[in-house]
Amino acid sequence: MAEIIQKDGTWIFDGDALRLTPGRDKNVGLLRRTLGELVVPLRALAGISFEQGRRAGRLRLRLRDGADPLLHATAGRLDEPHDPYRLTVESDRYGVAEYLVDEVRQALLLDQVPSDPVSEYLLPGPSVPLSAAAGDGTASFDGEQVRLEWNWKTEDAKAAAGTRTLAVTDIAAVEWHPAAGLENGYLRFTVKNAPTKAPPKYDPNSVELWGFKKDPLMALIAAAVQARLPHPAAPAPAAALHGPAQEPEPAAGAREDDHDALLRRLRELGELHRTGVLTDEEFALAKQAILKRM
């Protein structure tokens, strides 16, 4: 097990998953504090890196595309105080950070985790129920319905439509954009068979955001809804393409136990080393990780 404890948060790797816990430092963003502890399975990772700085360094996780509904809903728009996949590391803990990186990379190599996109979410998204008030309204989500309520700052034409209740089954897409410069942000729900080009200020299915402290909490609403929508890369249902789905064939033979699987992996790595695919250092690290597990 490898762990690093900082004011910014704590990361613990147990060989199968990374447990990310936000710290209590004043620089930790509101979204991270509200999201709480996050468990990232190894198979959701595409990579990990550590960047040293003069006063502090940065640990960064890179997830496989499509693995996390939060990253999908925010589309790379989370800045550092709110990004749960970055950790500020103090200079006297650089060695610990590098050790954590080595352990995660060894596990990715040992388990042969691919870095290509996935067609299903590997993280569950934020817990529900959720509610956030920002901009011109309040958005709430209980896992089945989104409720949008307006405040005194809402445009009259939009407020006249009253409180909106949207079932997840009626939602085709959800978008979150933070305010940037002179442009306001928004949380927008696209309703099936009812597209609109109205600005968020007038769209009754959108909350307009003005760049205040609680705006990132709307990203959690977006992520929780996104986790319950069909994955954008998921294959079409079998029934729609070829009629009723067939039961999968049972796997041939009994599944190998863990010890045999590790021996087989060790032989595979030895072959990769002999053919020059793995360097001496990479082979030594991977072999050491296998022997630890055995």
Side-chain angles (χ1 to χ4, degrees):
M1 186 176 74
E3 70 175 8
I4 182 167
I5 302 173
Q6 295 289 276
K7 294 179 181 179
D8 195 34
T10 299
W11 286 14
I12 300 175
F13 179 59
D14 63 6
D16 296 315
L18 264 165
R19 190 177 298 273
L20 316 179
T21 305
R24 298 183 178 181
D25 188 73
K26 63 180 181 179
N27 294 322
V28 176
L30 181 60
L31 183 147
R32 284 179 62 198
R33 296 201 304 268
T34 305
L35 182 61
E37 187 176 82
L38 198 58
V39 178
V40 184
L42 185 66
R43 64 193 182 102
L45 291 180
I48 183 172
S49 64
F50 176 59
E51 304 163 4
Q52 293 189 14
R54 296 181 63 181
R55 295 185 178 180
R58 296 288 186 275
L59 272 171
R60 299 176 187 266
L61 284 184
R62 183 167 59 89
L63 271 63
R64 298 169 66 184
D65 288 344
D68 182 15
L70 174 63
L71 294 183
H72 183 89
T74 56
R77 301 183 186 97
L78 285 178
D79 55 16
E80 186 157 350
H82 304 290
D83 187 344
Y85 301 115
R86 302 183 194 180
L87 183 73
T88 300
V89 179
E90 298 170 8
S91 58
D92 61 346
R93 290 294 182 269
Y94 283 0
V96 179
E98 290 170 346
Y99 174 72
L100 177 71
V101 169
D102 287 343
E103 289 292 297
V104 174
R105 287 177 175 171
Q106 284 182 37
L108 290 171
L109 179 62
L110 177 61
D111 286 6
Q112 296 182 347
V113 177
S115 59
D116 55 341
V118 296
S119 58
E120 62 176 340
Y121 293 122
L122 302 180
L123 282 85
S127 301
V128 294
L130 275 172
S131 183
D136 66 353
T138 298
S140 305
F141 182 53
D142 62 5
E144 296 182 356
Q145 291 184 327
V146 173
R147 183 179 175 87
L148 303 177
E149 301 175 85
W150 313 117
N151 56 40
W152 64 273
K153 294 170 283 189
T154 309
E155 181 70 23
D156 290 344
K158 180 176 172 179
T163 298
R164 297 283 288 172
T165 301
L166 305 173
V168 169
T169 52
D170 293 331
I171 297 174
V174 57
E175 302 173 80
W176 175 81
H177 283 250
L182 298 178
E183 293 187 8
N184 292 337
Y186 58 84
L187 170 68
R188 185 196 297 274
F189 298 94
T190 301
V191 179
K192 294 178 181 177
N193 302 319
T196 178
K197 294 184 179 180
K201 182 176 182 178
Y202 302 102
D203 181 6
N205 297 322
S206 300
V207 177
E208 188 178 36
L209 305 175
W210 300 320
F212 295 145
K213 180 180 178 180
K214 293 185 177 181
D215 283 12
L217 295 183
M218 289 294 183
L220 296 181
I221 301 285
V225 173
Q226 185 67 56
R228 289 159 177 81
L229 297 180
H231 194 286
L241 296 175
H242 307 293
Q246 300 296 318
E247 290 294 327
E249 291 293 329
R255 184 177 180 180
E256 294 178 315
D257 61 33
D258 290 343
H259 188 268
D260 288 343
L262 290 173
L263 286 175
R264 178 166 54 84
R265 186 62 56 79
L266 191 57
R267 289 193 293 270
E268 292 173 352
L269 290 173
E271 182 62 27
L272 291 174
H273 180 236
R274 283 191 294 274
T275 57
V277 175
L278 293 179
T279 65
D280 292 344
E281 182 180 1
E282 290 171 337
F283 175 67
L285 290 174
K287 180 180 177 181
Q288 181 184 18
I290 290 178
L291 294 177
K292 282 183 181 180
R293 293 195 178 190
M294 294 178 66

